[in-house]
Amino acid sequence: MSRKGTAKVTALLEIEQSVQEGWQRERVFEEDAPEEAKGKDKYFVTFPYPYMNGQLHLGHTFSLSKCEFAVGYQRLRGKVCLFPFGLHCTGMPIKACADKLKREMEDFGFPPQFPLEEETSLSTSSSAASVQEVPIDKAKGKKSKAAAKTGSSKYQWNIMRSLNLKDDDIARFADPHHWLGYFPQLAKDDLKKMGVKVDWRRTFITTDANPYYDSFVRWQFLRLKERNKIKFGKRYTIYSPLDDQPCMDHDRSTGEGAGPQEYTLIKMRAIEPFPQKLKVLAGRAVFLVAATLRPETMYGQTNCWVRPDMKYIAFELANGEVFVCTQRAARNMAYQGFTKTNGKVDVLMHLTGQDILGIALKAPLTSFQAIYTLPMLTIKEGKGTGIVTSVPSDAPDDFAALRDLQKKQPLREKYGIKDEMVLPFNPVPIIEVPGFGNLSAVTACEQLKVQSQNDKEKLTEAKERVYLKGFYEGVMLVGSYAGQKVQDVKQLIKEQILDANEAVVYKEPEKQIISRSGDECVVALCDQWYLDYGETAWKQITAESLKQLETFADDVRKNFEATLDWLHEHACSRSYGLGTKLPWDPQYLIESLSDSTIYMAFYTVSHLLQGGVFDGHSASPLHISPQQMTPEVWDFVFFKEAPFPRTDVPKAALLKMRSEFEFWYGVDLRVSGKDLIPNHLTYYLYNHCAIWPEDRSKWPKAVRANGHLLLNSEKMSKSTGNFLTLQEAIEKYSADGMRLSLADAGDTIEDANFVETMADAGILRIYTLLEWTKEILANTESLRSGPADTYNDKVFISEMNKGIIETAQHYDRLMFKEALRTGFFEFQAARDRYRELCTEGMNRDLVLRFIEQQVLILSPICPHICEHIWKRLGKLNSIMRASWPVAGAVDNVLLASSSYLMDAAHSFRLRLKNLCQPAKGKKILPEKPTNGTIYVAKTYPMWQNKILILLKSLHDKSGVMPDNKEVSVQLKNMPELKKYTKKLMPFVQAVKENVEVQGLKALNLTLDFDELVVLQENIVYLTNTLELEGLVLKSCVEAEDVKIQEECCPGKPIIAYRSEASVPVLFVNPQPCSGHFQLTVPILEGDTVMKIAYRMWKLDRLIKNPNSLKLLRYEDSVMGPRQVPVFGEPEAGKLSIPESAVFTIDAEKKTVCLVNNGATLDIGLQMAYLVV
């Protein structure tokens, strides 16, 4: 995006660097538990530590900014705040990338020479991880957690080059531990440039590369196992055959959030004689197997679908049976105990769908002796087995396809399907569905006029109509469960066919899942260590913790509840990657979603163990070695009832650690993207309940989930170039400019939007605030002194108080977009109104108070510029140690009167604009009015008054506003309103709309303030803004125009404009080299020197102050203007006009006279003026 200039950004960056250096010198953000904790409020906030395989990007920054803003606000509220920041290295990605670099050097040399045709995908943007979009439900967003972070480069080496790394440097990344030393420091540097309020002493990296953290995680898992939360056994899990281990969310490049989907695999036995292709299997039990989610509908099977051009296989099971399905489905089955050898598919033959068309099958539960395989062209290979059962009574797709075959003989002939395989098979009534009868699919297709199986949109709608209704309201008509609801017997029917060996349980991934090593994952039945999430007692206590958790949004709570409903065992071990080894089974590593559930507790003591060194390989501030941190020592630190352990660690050191933990824990706020609700955030709750089951004070207190961040209304993607790293964003917009835009991007669980044009506008707003403040502080003497007691002073005070109160409420609810609106945009607008309305000048003390309050309430979002201005105000301590401003009383009546004034001025301007437009069909502009009369009504006209009384009466009776029909009936019974018939209902509607906005006060017959007083207080402002010579205020009863009397009502003043006669006078400036020349100024009857000076000031903007003008008349009004002026003597031949003089005119004769001290002088049509 092209930009006009960067001078403002450069200036802001320089300020930010200076401010950050000051914070670092003062160690502003380093917080220890106070020695006397009683009475101290604390605020402990955390953000899921980002993964260290690349630079932080704007998506990370958006989420962590919520923590940052919250901490800034809570500091102002007087709380002791802690924001620590860890860096995650556990898991597969770093190891996978390192191994990929190693393989690329082995395959293509050093530096690698990649094939030319495959090099073209090199991205020009920076990153070091490869992840992509995954469609997920609303709770998880539209993309995976770090979706679309990199370009489309096939080679890891090219991805590293895109980070501006040289080949020699890239080679070092073939060692996974090199990543642990490189990217964490980059992350810290970028975050410090952002100005985050982080206590960097507590920062650490994960994995066994950090012996202290490794010890902590080992302790956690020992305690979980002791409490029977970790178990070992066979369970279904997403599994990567290539990596030979379970593939958890953070190990995936696609499919994050997807789990195993369970199907009932229906066994349809092939009836001999077999077709030619299957002859070799004669005498064997051959089954075409179809995966279904609706086993209760198998009573209605009429046929089986296969796709003629799809590839299938016949493979042998461990029990000797033969299954026919796709290779992909067979691969899944091979890892679920179906085959003789785990993971191996014993293929007997390869087939196409055409080879198995027309086979007779014996299917479970159907009323037909045999059904046949028929062609369907829409079967997808990536879901199920490629074999589909057909139930046309309840499945719209099946009905449409079967009807096509029955009606179209050429279609049957094309695939060799005989009539007897199709024509006798009609839909069988099996389920009664309210509104759809006993053939719900048939009814839905007829209602929507589905013509064929190609009417995809209509068929989709038909399915939506009947599927859920069939499950929740359908009643079985056949079988042993006839008369019972489908939802009650679905599982019983499934167990019935499983027990009869007519079906088996089969699972596959909900959607395609690709591991970071590039392998398509399967569902496998594995022996593994797993966390027993979902276990009844553990789930129950976690549900209790959710009840006391603040989630800030109903959607977030509902997503947590939904996750608790479905979540069950989670594999916590793997054999590949980086991490901590399981203490009791060191052949396994603890996976990345399992070592990151209670690490927030480690923050409370990490600074005492590691002292700010990421990997803990330095002298401990408490002189404690990792080996000394035994499980019993950790118990003493984290369990306040635990006895002092047998250890050589000094008791004072352990008491210090315990006091830190007890003061800070539990976590007051955790902020994360919404995609972590179904995994990390729910695990976070589970594990806290497991480790501290009896101490609810240690349970999480609040979780704030946000949507993903769009960039310019599109998803961030390196391949499209629509991507910004944190470093790039700061360089482009400054830290405060970026932070302002992040706050303005959005607050809800829906995706937010960072708009670069708005970011540029934000820079201008911040810079303008700085420049205005500098100008004010340099010119305070020009401001009005004395008490702030004018009408507009009082309005401004109330507006500031209101802004402070509302902004605090938004900060409390973590609604930062709203806080920015009330605490900056509207706060600035209040200042602008005050400046505009104060014709007598702004009050000095009030303006200085505004600046101080503005930087205080904006400082959580834009701390650098606020700190800079704070110091310019002469404050000695950092704004980070300041307090939230105390708001005084808000005078709502006064604010309502101010709003009334602005609305009235706006309506007056619109009326003036319309008046000055040429008449329709005319080009000549009408004469601009010079004066106006404002008419004000203290009460409504009689007919409006009666309507308001009626509406209030009807509302008082029912508690709600009456509908128009009821009001109309009542109005017909009021004969006195007959002449206003056409006006009645429009007024009723207008009042009802006002009630929606203002509440019941819109029904009041009078206002809470005196309109005349408000308008009189601001008569100078109104006169100036309307560019008039004079305004008069009158009651509407004084109006000669009957229309004004009828239409004027409380809160809706009416202005009538008029033009008064004038005589043009030429004013000449005789001052040499002044830049002022001559002006033609209209003179009106009764003008004064000040009025004319003000008129001249509006005509010539080079005149900076109307008070600087001196008006002169010629001694000889006839000959004086004709004489050559004397150079250097501008007043020669002229007389000063005293301010007490009054001008009088004769418009017809075009003469101007001056009346002073009883004398009247004809002064001619030319005068002079000086600028002094």
Side-chain angles (χ1 to χ4, degrees):
M1 185 181 294
S2 60
R3 307 178 80 190
K4 293 181 180 178
T6 58
K8 294 180 178 64
V9 174
T10 301
L12 293 177
L13 287 170
E14 289 174 355
I15 289 172
E16 288 164 2
Q17 183 178 352
S18 173
V19 167
Q20 289 163 11
E21 288 171 355
W23 288 341
Q24 188 161 343
R25 280 194 306 272
E26 297 177 33
R27 299 178 177 271
V28 171
F29 307 127
E30 294 182 7
E31 297 286 359
D32 293 314
E35 291 185 9
E36 181 50 60
K38 189 175 181 181
K40 298 276 188 180
D41 285 337
K42 59 90 179 178
Y43 194 71
F44 180 27
V45 60
T46 65
F47 168 76
Y49 40 29
Y51 200 74
M52 290 293 99
N53 62 339
Q55 286 183 277
L56 298 180
H57 57 72
L58 207 57
H60 292 119
T61 314
F62 175 62
S63 289
L64 71 87
S65 71
K66 309 294 185 188
C67 295
E68 172 65 15
F69 301 154
V71 166
Y73 170 67
Q74 295 296 342
R75 288 181 69 98
L76 289 168
R77 283 310 215 181
K79 293 182 181 178
V80 187
C81 295
L82 178 62
F83 181 17
F85 206 96
L87 305 162
H88 203 195
C89 304
T90 304
M92 282 181 58
I94 289 175
K95 184 75 164 67
C97 291
D99 289 350
K100 199 173 180 185
L101 289 172
K102 194 180 300 181
R103 287 196 300 270
E104 288 171 6
M105 284 191 285
E106 292 170 355
D107 294 344
F108 302 107
F110 175 77
Q113 300 298 315
F114 300 117
L116 185 60
E117 66 275 11
E118 296 182 356
E119 261 190 300
T120 57
S121 59
L122 174 61
S123 169
T124 57
S125 303
S126 60
S127 180
S130 179
V131 290
Q132 61 199 28
E133 182 178 355
V134 182
I136 286 182
D137 64 23
K138 181 179 178 182
K140 304 169 188 174
K142 297 178 181 176
K143 55 185 178 177
S144 61
K145 180 186 171 196
K149 280 171 62 178
T150 69
S152 55
S153 179
K154 175 179 178 180
Y155 297 107
Q156 184 66 37
W157 200 278
N158 285 341
I159 294 174
M160 304 302 286
R161 280 176 176 165
S162 72
L163 290 171
N164 299 319
L165 291 169
K166 296 179 180 178
D167 287 331
D168 288 339
D169 295 327
I170 295 172
R172 297 189 181 97
F173 286 91
D175 175 5
H177 289 90
H178 183 68
W179 297 66
L180 276 56
Y182 183 81
F183 285 111
Q185 187 59 49
L186 278 185
K188 178 181 177 182
D189 292 344
D190 289 347
L191 288 167
K192 289 182 77 172
K193 288 176 184 174
M194 179 184 169
V196 292
K197 303 171 187 67
V198 167
D199 184 348
W200 291 108
R201 300 172 304 157
R202 299 173 187 264
T203 299
F204 58 84
I205 60 171
T206 65
T207 77
D208 54 6
N210 180 349
Y212 290 105
Y213 187 75
D214 186 62
S215 171
F216 167 77
V217 174
R218 288 166 63 85
W219 164 79
Q220 174 192 353
F221 269 71
L222 284 171
R223 296 299 171 253
L224 288 172
K225 189 168 185 295
E226 282 177 3
R227 297 172 187 188
N228 206 29
K229 306 302 181 187
I230 298 177
K231 297 177 182 177
F232 187 80
K234 288 191 179 295
R235 60 177 296 279
Y236 291 102
T237 190
I238 303 298
Y239 182 86
S240 166
L242 177 63
D243 300 326
D244 192 25
Q245 65 176 10
C247 185
M248 300 296 104
D249 272 2
H250 289 189
D251 303 327
R252 305 172 189 176
S253 61
T254 71
E256 185 175 346
Q261 173 68 64
E262 181 175 313
Y263 293 92
T264 303
L265 201 63
I266 305 298
K267 297 167 63 176
M268 295 175 285
R269 182 163 184 161
I271 301 173
E272 297 193 45
F274 294 160
Q276 186 62 39
K277 190 79 174 185
L278 295 180
K279 289 287 188 186
V280 296
L281 298 177
R284 301 191 64 173
V286 179
F287 296 90
L288 273 66
V289 288
T292 182
L293 297 171
R294 305 181 70 198
E296 74 281 2
T297 65
M298 293 304 101
Y299 290 103
Q301 291 178 88
T302 60
N303 61 280
C304 167
W305 300 115
V306 298
R307 200 176 88 194
D309 62 343
M310 186 179 285
K311 293 180 180 179
Y312 296 88
I313 63 169
F315 69 100
E316 186 175 23
L317 273 63
N319 62 6
E321 293 178 349
V322 176
F323 277 7
V324 177
C325 64
T326 59
Q327 177 79 49
R328 187 196 66 85
R331 181 171 179 252
N332 269 275
M333 294 179 205
Y335 287 93
Q336 295 173 33
F338 284 72
T339 56
K340 294 176 183 177
T341 305
N342 188 57
K344 182 182 178 184
V345 179
D346 295 319
V347 180
L348 301 177
M349 64 178 62
H350 292 271
L351 303 162
T352 64
Q354 186 68 53
D355 295 330
I356 52 178
L357 282 175
I359 294 179
L361 302 171
K362 180 176 175 54
L365 300 185
T366 181
S367 58
F368 297 101
Q369 291 295 318
I371 61 174
Y372 295 88
T373 54
L374 303 178
M376 177 182 269
L377 305 181
T378 56
I379 298 173
K380 296 179 180 178
E381 190 172 356
K383 200 78 171 172
T385 63
I387 308 290
V388 180
T389 61
S390 175
V391 185
S393 59
D394 291 80
D397 285 320
D398 294 343
F399 171 69
L402 180 62
R403 186 176 59 180
D404 283 353
L405 276 172
Q406 290 176 333
K407 287 183 176 181
K408 300 174 182 178
Q409 184 175 346
L411 184 60
R412 300 198 296 272
E413 292 174 349
K414 178 179 179 179
Y415 292 107
I417 302 301
K418 298 176 182 178
D419 289 355
E420 59 267 26
M421 297 177 182
V422 181
L423 299 182
F425 297 90
N426 292 313
V428 178
I430 59 171
I431 299 172
E432 181 75 29
V433 180
F436 291 94
N438 57 19
L439 294 174
S440 60
V442 178
T443 302
C445 287
E446 289 175 349
Q447 288 175 348
L448 294 169
K449 296 182 172 55
V450 174
Q451 299 299 314
S452 76
Q453 60 187 306
N454 296 321
D455 289 347
K456 294 181 180 178
E457 291 184 5
K458 289 183 178 179
L459 286 168
T460 299
E461 185 178 349
K463 284 186 284 188
E464 290 173 352
R465 288 187 181 186
V466 301
Y467 276 9
L468 282 179
K469 195 172 184 67
F471 175 72
Y472 288 108
E473 299 181 39
V475 176
M476 297 299 301
L477 298 175
V478 297
S480 53
Y481 298 104
Q484 298 187 49
K485 278 196 169 185
V486 170
Q487 62 177 327
D488 296 331
V489 300
K490 181 186 183 85
Q491 185 64 29
L492 298 174
I493 295 172
K494 175 182 174 180
E495 291 172 2
Q496 176 185 322
I497 54 177
L498 289 174
D499 293 342
N501 197 28
E502 294 175 324
V504 290
V505 172
Y506 163 70
K507 298 193 180 189
E508 63 179 44
E510 291 173 315
K511 57 174 68 73
Q512 187 184 59
I513 298 173
I514 305 296
S515 73
R516 290 187 182 271
S517 58
D519 185 32
E520 182 173 0
C521 295
V522 298
V523 171
L525 195 58
C526 301
D527 278 330
Q528 58 188 292
W529 294 103
Y530 61 89
L531 285 152
D532 195 16
Y533 298 138
E535 185 271 324
T536 304
W538 197 5
K539 178 179 178 179
Q540 186 175 354
I541 193 173
T542 304
E544 286 296 314
S545 75
L546 179 59
K547 288 179 182 177
Q548 72 175 47
L549 184 76
E550 171 62 75
T551 61
F552 300 98
D554 287 340
D555 278 348
V556 174
R557 182 168 300 280
K558 288 174 183 176
N559 290 335
F560 268 117
E561 290 169 349
T563 302
L564 287 179
D565 284 342
W566 63 257
L567 182 64
H568 49 83
E569 304 98 334
H570 173 81
C572 59
S573 61
R574 66 151 62 87
S575 55
Y576 177 82
L578 304 178
T580 293
K581 293 180 174 61
L582 272 175
W584 61 88
D585 197 352
Q587 65 176 314
Y588 292 112
L589 295 167
I590 298 168
E591 63 89 31
S592 59
L593 279 170
S594 299
D595 81 337
S596 55
T597 54
I598 64 163
Y599 70 88
M600 313 84 202
F602 186 71
Y603 281 135
T604 64
V605 297
S606 59
H607 64 304
L608 300 175
L609 297 173
Q610 298 183 204
V613 178
F614 290 168
D615 62 4
H617 288 283
S618 66
S620 164
L622 291 183
H623 307 292
I624 300 174
S625 70
Q627 294 73 28
Q628 289 175 300
M629 293 306 297
T630 63
E632 292 72 29
V633 170
W634 286 116
D635 285 346
F636 181 78
V637 173
F638 294 135
F639 302 148
K640 58 186 174 185
E641 304 301 328
F644 191 80
R646 296 181 59 186
T647 178
D648 54 358
V649 177
K651 188 170 185 178
L654 292 188
L655 288 174
K656 171 67 174 171
M657 292 172 67
R658 175 184 271 189
S659 69
E660 283 280 334
F661 173 74
E662 287 295 333
F663 177 74
W664 291 116
Y665 227 65
V667 178
D668 294 286
L669 174 67
R670 187 157 180 81
V671 178
S672 169
K674 63 186 176 184
D675 56 312
L676 295 190
I677 295 174
N679 43 67
H680 163 72
L681 290 174
T682 303
Y683 303 165
Y684 168 62
L685 299 182
Y686 261 108
N687 280 266
H688 275 82
C689 293
I691 298 297
W692 293 280
E694 305 300 327
D695 189 355
R696 296 191 173 204
S697 68
K698 303 301 185 291
W699 291 0
K701 293 177 171 55
V703 167
R704 170 71 155 78
N706 54 260
H708 293 292
L709 184 70
L710 303 178
L711 181 58
N712 300 319
S713 303
E714 297 179 2
K715 70 177 183 180
M716 286 206 293
S717 170
K718 294 193 68 63
S719 60
T720 64
N722 192 51
F723 190 84
L724 277 177
T725 64
L726 171 55
Q727 179 185 18
E728 290 167 343
I730 293 172
E731 290 172 353
K732 196 170 184 179
Y733 301 111
S734 77
D736 279 353
M738 176 196 69
R739 292 166 67 113
L740 183 78
S741 294
L742 289 172
D744 197 38
D747 287 322
T748 70
I749 196 171
E750 301 299 335
D751 289 350
N753 190 19
F754 184 100
V755 182
E756 293 193 88
T757 54
M758 296 302 293
D760 282 329
I763 293 170
L764 184 59
R765 285 178 181 272
I766 296 170
Y767 192 80
T768 301
L769 171 63
L770 173 63
E771 290 300 303
W772 176 78
T773 302
K774 287 161 64 175
E775 182 181 346
I776 288 294
L777 295 179
N779 298 282
T780 53
E781 294 305 316
S782 66
L783 298 173
R784 170 168 52 91
S785 59
D789 56 3
T790 70
Y791 171 84
N792 288 302
D793 288 343
K794 294 173 184 176
V795 169
F796 189 37
I797 291 169
S798 264
E799 286 186 320
M800 285 193 289
N801 290 339
K802 182 184 178 187
I804 292 167
I805 293 168
E806 289 183 345
T807 304
Q809 292 169 348
H810 295 318
Y811 275 130
D812 284 331
R813 294 296 303 163
L814 305 189
M815 301 298 284
F816 302 114
K817 182 181 179 74
E818 293 301 302
L820 188 65
R821 174 179 62 81
T822 57
F824 186 46
F825 301 149
E826 291 181 3
F827 216 69
Q828 292 284 303
R831 183 274 318 268
D832 294 342
R833 282 193 299 276
Y834 178 59
R835 181 168 52 186
E836 180 185 0
L837 290 165
C838 273
T839 54
E840 70 278 16
M842 296 188 293
N843 181 274
R844 181 192 308 153
D845 294 338
L846 213 50
V847 170
L848 293 177
R849 187 202 305 183
F850 166 81
I851 295 172
E852 181 173 327
Q853 292 180 344
Q854 175 65 95
V855 296
L856 282 169
I857 65 178
L858 183 62
S859 64
I861 294 172
C862 298
H864 303 90
I865 197 69
C866 293
E867 180 76 83
H868 181 73
I869 293 173
W870 184 253
K871 291 296 175 64
R872 278 184 169 271
L873 290 172
K875 308 295 184 180
L876 299 178
N877 291 323
S878 168
I879 198 171
M880 294 297 126
R881 304 192 193 282
S883 297
W884 185 260
V886 177
V890 176
D891 188 334
N892 290 311
V893 173
L894 187 65
L895 293 182
S897 72
S898 175
S899 179
Y900 157 84
L901 172 66
M902 301 311 293
D903 290 343
H906 178 66
S907 69
F908 297 163
R909 282 191 290 268
L910 288 179
R911 191 177 181 94
L912 180 61
K913 181 181 178 182
N914 292 334
L915 191 66
C916 293
Q917 296 296 317
K920 190 174 182 180
K922 306 280 186 178
K923 292 186 177 179
I924 300 174
L925 291 173
E927 183 182 1
K928 187 177 179 182
T930 61
N931 291 69
T933 301
I934 299 174
Y935 294 98
V936 176
K938 284 192 175 293
T939 61
Y940 286 90
M942 176 275 294
W943 64 275
Q944 292 182 354
N945 208 57
K946 287 186 175 291
I947 290 175
L948 290 170
I949 293 171
L950 172 65
L951 290 176
K952 190 168 191 311
S953 172
L954 293 175
H955 178 276
D956 290 345
K957 287 179 183 177
S958 64
V960 294
M961 289 301 293
D963 60 33
N964 288 351
K965 186 176 181 180
E966 182 182 0
V967 176
S968 179
V969 170
Q970 295 282 346
L971 292 176
K972 286 179 181 178
N973 297 325
M974 298 181 179
E976 67 272 27
L977 301 183
K978 188 174 182 180
K979 64 181 288 190
Y980 306 103
T981 299
K982 291 184 179 180
K983 297 180 179 181
L984 299 181
M985 291 313 296
F987 180 70
V988 168
Q989 189 58 38
V991 171
K992 291 171 77 171
E993 290 172 1
N994 287 340
V995 168
E996 289 183 9
V997 176
Q998 304 173 23
L1000 291 178
K1001 69 179 183 180
L1003 299 178
N1004 291 348
L1005 300 179
T1006 58
L1007 298 182
D1008 295 330
F1009 53 88
D1010 190 324
E1011 293 180 64
L1012 281 172
V1013 172
V1014 173
L1015 294 173
Q1016 188 61 55
E1017 285 269 8
N1018 293 278
I1019 198 74
V1020 175
Y1021 161 72
L1022 291 170
T1023 305
N1024 293 345
T1025 192
L1026 296 172
E1027 298 182 345
L1028 298 176
E1029 299 302 331
L1031 273 174
V1032 177
L1033 298 176
K1034 290 184 177 182
S1035 170
C1036 67
V1037 297
E1038 300 178 57
E1040 296 178 1
D1041 189 338
V1042 176
K1043 190 176 180 182
I1044 291 178
Q1045 293 182 16
E1046 291 183 350
E1047 293 185 0
C1048 192
C1049 61
K1052 301 290 183 183
I1054 293 177
I1055 189 168
Y1057 292 103
R1058 66 183 186 278
S1059 294
E1060 295 192 354
S1062 64
V1063 175
V1065 171
L1066 182 67
F1067 282 81
V1068 178
N1069 181 263
Q1071 294 169 290
C1073 307
S1074 68
H1076 300 284
F1077 300 98
Q1078 60 186 34
L1079 296 169
T1080 299
V1081 182
I1083 306 298
L1084 282 73
E1085 181 68 23
D1087 267 348
T1088 63
V1089 169
M1090 198 60 232
K1091 281 187 177 181
I1092 296 172
Y1094 185 79
R1095 204 171 296 144
M1096 294 172 69
W1097 171 70
K1098 287 197 292 184
L1099 289 172
D1100 183 1
R1101 289 304 178 184
L1102 289 177
I1103 300 172
K1104 300 302 181 184
N1105 187 344
N1107 293 315
S1108 66
L1109 291 176
K1110 183 177 183 181
L1111 303 189
L1112 307 169
R1113 67 177 178 87
Y1114 290 98
E1115 292 179 358
D1116 184 338
S1117 62
V1118 177
M1119 299 304 298
R1122 301 181 183 181
Q1123 295 177 353
V1124 176
V1126 180
F1127 185 82
E1129 297 183 26
E1131 296 190 41
K1134 307 175 187 71
L1135 297 173
S1136 175
I1137 300 176
E1139 290 189 6
S1140 60
V1142 176
F1143 291 79
T1144 182
I1145 65 170
D1146 187 324
E1148 290 184 4
K1149 295 180 180 180
K1150 301 292 183 186
T1151 60
V1152 178
C1153 294
L1154 190 69
V1155 178
N1156 186 45
N1157 293 329
T1160 301
L1161 299 171
D1162 186 338
I1163 59 175
L1165 297 180
Q1166 182 171 326
M1167 299 170 63
Y1169 73 97
L1170 304 178
V1171 180
V1172 296

